[in-house]
Amino acid sequence: MLLLSVQDWNSAVNQLYYADFYAVLALMAKEGHKVSSHSGAKHLLNVHFTRTGRLAIEHNSTFGRLFNARQKGDYDDFEMFSESDALILLEQTPEFIREIKNLI
């Protein structure tokens, strides 16, 4: 990921979130659930997939961490992510997307 190679940790975290977010949107579209906001996507994922046992809690937590990180990075003026923050999320993102693909 180019953003990681130039050490733009905040932008990298933002893009990791969007990778997960669009995977969730695809899942919701397939299942016929209308998503009207980012928080709505998070809520629907929890209600229709985590609470029903179709998605493991750790994957829901991955999306939640990225959701919160994106909020902080985009809207908190002084939020600065570190390399380790970004790399942990980078490690979790492909696994999350793989699980969403399995559900689709």
Side-chain angles (χ1 to χ4, degrees), residues 53-69:
R54 295 174 65 192
L55 182 68
I57 291 170
E58 63 265 15
H59 298 303
N60 190 50
S61 296
T62 295
F63 188 64
R65 280 191 296 280
L66 274 166
F67 176 89
N68 292 334

Side-chain angles (χ1 to χ4, degrees), residues 35-75:
V35 176
S36 59
S37 67
H38 291 269
S39 59
K42 184 177 175 237
H43 174 74
L44 290 171
L45 186 68
N46 185 44
V47 168
H48 295 289
F49 295 91
T50 305
R51 288 185 188 172
T52 62
R54 295 174 65 192
L55 182 68
I57 291 170
E58 63 265 15
H59 298 303
N60 190 50
S61 296
T62 295
F63 188 64
R65 280 191 296 280
L66 274 166
F67 176 89
N68 292 334
R70 180 227 161 223
Q71 291 286 104
K72 288 178 184 177
D74 284 0
Y75 300 111

